[in-house]
Each structure stands twice: as structure tokens, then as C-alpha cells.
Amino acid sequence: QVQLVESGGGNVQPGGSLRLSCAASGFTLDYLAIGWFRQAPGKEREGVSCLSHNDRIVYYADSVKGRFTISRDLDQNTVYLQMTGLKPEDTAVYNCAVVVDCSASGVYYGGDHWGKGTLVTVSS
């Protein structure tokens, strides 16, 4: 089955860290642009980060710059989002997706289907 599955979310205190995983099955993540998105309760979904197909372009939203790191492990066929210095405003459901565009200025998904995602809750 061709799918991306997110995992790694959880409850964490402000200032804490989590590593989210985006595991692919049925296809390889090699040479694909991958993006991480999040949707907080009552808010629109936003693009958080992306990695271009050749890993040369990395994008981070201003709200997470300096705190989040995206990376790709082809051996594991997984893209990660390492999150540090978590804040309550990072609370959201996080999804990953193969994206049609990843540039230094933003990420564009182009699709309309989202997986279950993984919930990150930052609270004291």
C-alpha cells in the first residue's frame, strides 16, 4: 500500500523536544520533495517545513525557524522533523506529504488528502 504514516507526537512541556517521523511505504522518498504541515484547533493548516527533492533547499516557517530541523533518512525511507524549544503555540496535528513545490519561500502541497497525522500537545 502506498502511503505516508506520521508518528512521534505526544504531550510535552514547554521547552521540550519531540521527533516526528514520516515513514513511506510502497514507494521511496528518494528524489521527492517532502513537506510537514500542521493544523492547530480552530486555525488553518500551515506549512511548517519542507525539503526539496535533492535536499538542497530547506524551508522553515518563521514561527519554527531555529527550533525545528527537517531531515531525510533513505535507509529508513523516512523524513523526520526534530522539534526543540517547543511552545504552547506549536500544539497541532502534524502531517507530512509529498509536495509539488518546496522553495526557500514556502511549501505547496497541491493535494487535498491528508492522513491521520500525529498530535503534538505542548502544555505545562
Side-chain angles (χ1 to χ4, degrees):
Q1 186 175 3
V2 175
Q3 62 178 354
L4 288 172
V5 178
E6 305 93 343
S7 64
N11 298 321
V12 63
Q13 293 186 341
S17 300
L18 285 173
R19 188 179 75 163
L20 306 185
S21 299
C22 172
S25 60
F27 68 103
T28 176
L29 289 175
D30 200 7
Y31 287 101
L32 290 176
I34 304 297
W36 279 99
F37 301 80
R38 68 184 182 186
Q39 187 167 27
K43 295 187 176 181
E44 292 189 356
R45 195 183 310 272
E46 65 169 332
V48 174
S49 179
C50 68
L51 193 58
S52 66
H53 71 285
N54 56 9
D55 293 354
R56 292 180 180 177
I57 296 174
V58 181
Y59 163 79
Y60 296 104
D62 287 342
S63 57
V64 306
K65 201 169 292 183
R67 301 187 297 121
F68 290 11
T69 304
I70 190 171
S71 62
R72 187 194 314 256
D73 185 337
L74 293 177
D75 289 338
Q76 299 298 321
N77 207 25
T78 298
V79 170
Y80 300 101
L81 186 68
Q82 178 69 49
M83 307 187 297
T84 63
L86 284 164
K87 304 175 181 180
E89 51 263 44
D90 294 319
T91 295
V93 174
Y94 285 71
N95 288 94
C96 62
V98 177
V99 300
V100 297
D101 185 54
C102 174
S103 70
S105 59
V107 53
Y108 177 64
Y109 172 33
D112 58 7
H113 172 73
W114 296 97
K116 292 182 179 180
T118 186
L119 175 63
V120 172
T121 303
V122 185
S123 173
S124 55

